[in-house]
Amino acid sequence: MGPAERNGMGDKHSEKMIAPIVITAIMVLYYVGFFAVCVVMPIPIVLKLLFGLLPLGLAGVCIFVLVERIGEIRSGEEDDLSQY
C-alpha cells in the first residue's frame, strides 16, 4: 500500500474529528471543574445541587453532541451541507 492509499478517507475523517474532540474535552473539563468548585463552596446543599448539576448536564450535552458530530463526519454528511 502506497502513501497515497494510506492518506485516504480514513485520515481525512480523523483530521476533521480532532477539533470537536479537543473543544469538547476543554468544555467538559471546565464544567466538571465548575461542579467541583460548587461542591466545595460553603453554601446550602440546595444551591450546591442547583449550581452543580447544571454544569454536569451541560457536560453531558457536549458529549452527546460530540458523538453526533463524529457520526456525521464518519458518514460524510458534512460534505452534503457544503452543497447548499
Side-chain angles (χ1 to χ4, degrees), residues 2-81:
E5 294 172 7
R6 273 185 266 155
N7 292 332
M9 289 299 263
D11 290 337
K12 186 177 183 181
H13 289 314
S14 297
E15 290 174 3
K16 289 182 180 182
M17 284 190 260
I18 292 171
I21 291 171
V22 169
I23 296 300
T24 301
I26 291 169
M27 293 299 293
V28 168
L29 286 174
Y30 173 76
Y31 288 138
V32 169
F34 191 89
F35 172 75
V37 168
C38 286
V39 169
V40 175
M41 287 186 347
I43 56 176
I45 190 75
V46 174
L47 290 177
K48 284 184 183 187
L49 289 175
L50 180 66
F51 294 135
L53 293 179
L54 184 63
L56 286 183
L58 291 173
V61 169
C62 284
I63 293 171
F64 176 77
V65 170
L66 173 67
V67 170
E68 292 285 319
R69 180 66 184 137
I70 288 174
E72 289 175 359
I73 291 171
R74 286 187 177 160
S75 70
E77 287 183 33
E78 81 281 2
D79 293 334
D80 294 341
L81 294 175

